[in-house]
Amino acid sequence: MILIAGGGVGGLTLALMLHHRGIPCTVLEAATEIRELGVGINTLPHGIAELAELGLLPALDAVAIRTRELRYLNHLGQTLWSEPRGLHAGHATPQFSIHRGRLHGLLWRAAAERLPPGALRTGEHLLGFEQGAEGVTAHFTSGPLRGTALVGADGIHSALRALLHPDDGGIRWQGIQMWRGALDWPAFESGDVMLIAGDLKAKLVFYPIAPGSTPAHRLTNWVIYARTATGEATPPRREDWSRPGRLKDVLPLARRLKLPFLDVEAMIRASPMRLEYPMCDRDPLPWWTQGRVTLLGDAAHPMYPVGSNGASQAILDARCLADLLAAHPIPAALAAYEADRLPKTAALVASNRRGGPERVVDVVCERAPRGFTRIEDVIPMEDLAAIARGYAQTAGFAVAR
C-alpha cells in the first residue's frame, strides 16, 4: 500500500496511475472538504498525454479550452512573438487552459470512481513517520497508518518536506506580487488564444479557461503581476496568500497596458473577485528521497507560475514514479525517480526565476520601451526563438523540427 499525503493534482494523478498498474494506494488529504478553488492554469501537451492515457480527455474537453496559440505582446499590444500550441504545434495531444479547481475536481471524481472505497480520505494532516526495512508507519490526524512507501504530494507548504528537511530555507519571494481573477468576458478572436503582454514594470497574462455564458463569451482568466518589493523582502504571511486584492493597487498597473483590443481596466473592475498572491517558490532540494519516503509535485519543486509548468511537472512526476514502482523494489524505484526528476525540475525552477519564456517581453521592452515599427529591427527573430523554444526544450515539451 502506497500512502500519498496530499490529494491535489499530483497526488490524485499518482493514485490513478498506481491503480491503473494494479498497485494499491491511499490518498490522505489535509482539507476537510474538496472544493473547486483557484483560478486558471495551463496544462501542457506532455502532461495532458499522461491524463489522456488514463481516459480523461473527454472530461477535460467538457470543462476546458484547447489552447491554439500563445502570443507575447508589449504594453502597446504589438506582437513580439507568437507560436501555435498543442495540436496546432504538432503535438499528439492538446494544451488545455482550465480552471484549477475544475481540474482538481475532475481528478478527484475519477479517483473516487476507480479506487476502492476508503482509498480517498479527507481531514488527514501528516504529523510524522517512521520507516524500516519493510515499510513505513505514517501518523495522520486519525492515527497511524502502515504502508510500503510514503509520498508527500502536499504542496508548497508540505509537511513531509519539513520533516525531511527541517533546515530547508523556506519560501523564497523576490518581491513579485500577482493579482488574479476570472470572469465571463467576450471571446478574444477565436476564443482559444493565450496572451502575455506588458513591459518591464507590469505584465498581463490573459487566456480563456472554459466556455462562457454564450458562444461569444469565455470564462476568462487574467493575471497582472509586478515587482512590489526587493528580493530581500520577507514573504507575506501564509494567511495573506489568496487574499482579496484592492483595486487601488492593481489599477495603476492595468493602466500601463494600452492594448487596442482589450480594456484591461474595465475587465478588472468587472471581475467578481480579485485575489492577491505572492509569486513564490523554494530553492531546489539536494535530495527528495529517504528510503521508502519521497516528495512529488510542489512539495518537491514549487516553481514560479511562468511557462505553464507547475501542474504539468507534477503529472510527469506521477508517471515516472508509477512506472518505476511497477518495475522495481520500492527503495530502488524511489531512488531512480529522484535521479530522473530532481535535476529536470531544478533546471525549471531556475529558469522560471529568470522569467522563463516570458523573458521575451523583457528583452524587447529593454531595447524598445516606446514600441517599434518592425520587431526585426529590435531583435533577430532567432534570438526570440531561442528564448521561447529553449524553454520548451528544458521543460520537455518541445516539438522536433
Side-chain angles (χ1 to χ4, degrees):
M1 175 69 69
I2 308 296
L3 305 178
I4 303 170
V9 170
L12 292 170
T13 302
L14 177 62
L16 288 164
M17 289 181 169
L18 291 174
H19 175 74
H20 187 66
R21 290 157 178 77
I23 302 172
C25 63
T26 300
V27 177
L28 299 112
E29 164 58 38
T32 55
E33 180 185 358
I34 301 304
R35 294 184 294 160
E36 296 191 352
L37 302 174
V39 279
I41 62 171
N42 278 275
T43 43
L44 296 169
H46 56 347
I48 293 300
E50 306 301 345
L51 299 185
E53 269 200 27
L54 293 169
L56 297 175
L57 206 54
L60 287 163
D61 266 320
V63 297
I65 297 290
R66 293 186 175 210
T67 311
R68 177 178 59 84
E69 183 182 343
L70 169 61
R71 202 175 298 168
Y72 295 98
L73 315 167
N74 65 8
H75 65 293
L76 302 173
Q78 295 176 300
T79 298
L80 316 178
W81 175 262
S82 64
E83 59 186 39
R85 303 294 274 194
L87 298 176
H88 304 274
H91 291 281
T93 47
Q95 173 174 326
F96 277 108
S97 297
I98 187 170
H99 188 286
R100 185 202 172 278
R102 293 182 182 179
L103 174 60
H104 184 217
L106 180 159
L107 292 169
W108 186 272
R109 288 188 294 274
E113 290 168 3
R114 299 179 191 185
L115 272 61
L120 298 181
R121 306 186 189 181
T122 56
E124 294 282 8
H125 290 265
L126 177 66
L127 306 174
F129 72 90
E130 302 101 29
Q131 64 174 318
E134 301 301 322
V136 179
T137 299
H139 299 274
F140 290 93
T141 307
S142 63
L145 197 61
R146 185 74 174 167
T148 53
L150 172 64
V151 180
D154 48 347
I156 190 171
H157 300 292
S158 169
L160 184 55
R161 180 180 176 127
L163 291 168
L164 292 173
H165 292 276
D167 297 324
D168 181 35
I171 301 291
R172 299 297 189 190
W173 185 52
Q174 294 184 340
I176 298 173
Q177 199 75 4
M178 299 184 291
W179 290 264
R180 307 190 63 169
L183 76 165
D184 191 65
W185 192 253
F188 171 70
E189 293 186 356
S190 51
D192 52 5
V193 176
M194 178 177 180
L195 304 175
I196 299 174
D199 58 12
L200 294 170
K201 295 286 183 67
K203 292 183 180 64
L204 167 75
V205 184
F206 171 96
Y207 55 92
I209 56 176
S213 58
T214 75
H217 287 74
R218 299 289 185 271
L219 178 61
T220 300
N221 179 84
W222 61 266
V223 185
I224 286 185
Y225 66 91
R227 189 177 301 279
T228 61
T230 67
E232 292 76 40
T234 302
R237 298 172 305 168
R238 183 172 174 176
E239 55 268 31
D240 289 336
W241 292 39
S242 198
R243 66 184 175 188
R246 300 180 302 182
L247 273 173
K248 70 175 187 177
D249 294 331
V250 69
L251 286 184
L253 301 172
R255 290 174 184 138
R256 298 185 63 85
L257 301 162
K258 312 295 185 183
L259 308 183
F261 52 82
L262 176 64
D263 187 335
V264 180
E265 180 176 347
M267 178 182 67
I268 291 172
R269 288 184 180 276
S271 296
M273 182 176 292
R274 293 162 293 275
L275 299 175
E276 185 177 339
Y277 297 75
M279 186 183 285
C280 292
D281 65 3
R282 289 180 182 266
D283 291 338
L285 290 169
W287 53 270
W288 299 347
T289 300
Q290 186 185 87
R292 293 173 173 267
V293 177
T294 196
L295 301 170
L296 182 146
D298 279 353
H301 48 73
M303 59 187 67
Y304 284 178
V306 300
S308 307
N309 248 300
S312 299
Q313 293 301 318
I315 292 167
L316 296 180
D317 287 352
R319 172 60 188 267
C320 178
L321 183 52
D323 282 350
L324 289 165
L325 285 168
H328 302 285
I330 284 173
L334 269 55
Y337 156 72
E338 176 186 303
D340 183 305
R341 296 295 300 154
L342 191 155
K344 293 174 181 176
T345 54
L348 277 173
V349 170
S351 179
N352 284 12
R353 280 186 180 176
R354 296 191 298 268
E358 295 170 24
R359 285 195 304 115
V360 164
V361 176
D362 292 340
V363 169
V364 173
C365 288
E366 282 175 352
R367 301 182 185 188
R370 295 181 179 84
F372 51 83
T373 302
R374 294 175 68 251
I375 185 64
E376 296 85 356
D377 296 332
V378 179
I379 184 171
M381 296 306 290
E382 54 265 29
D383 290 1
L384 294 176
I387 297 172
R389 292 178 182 156
Y391 183 83
Q393 194 73 44
T394 300
F397 68 99
V399 177
R401 296 180 184 276

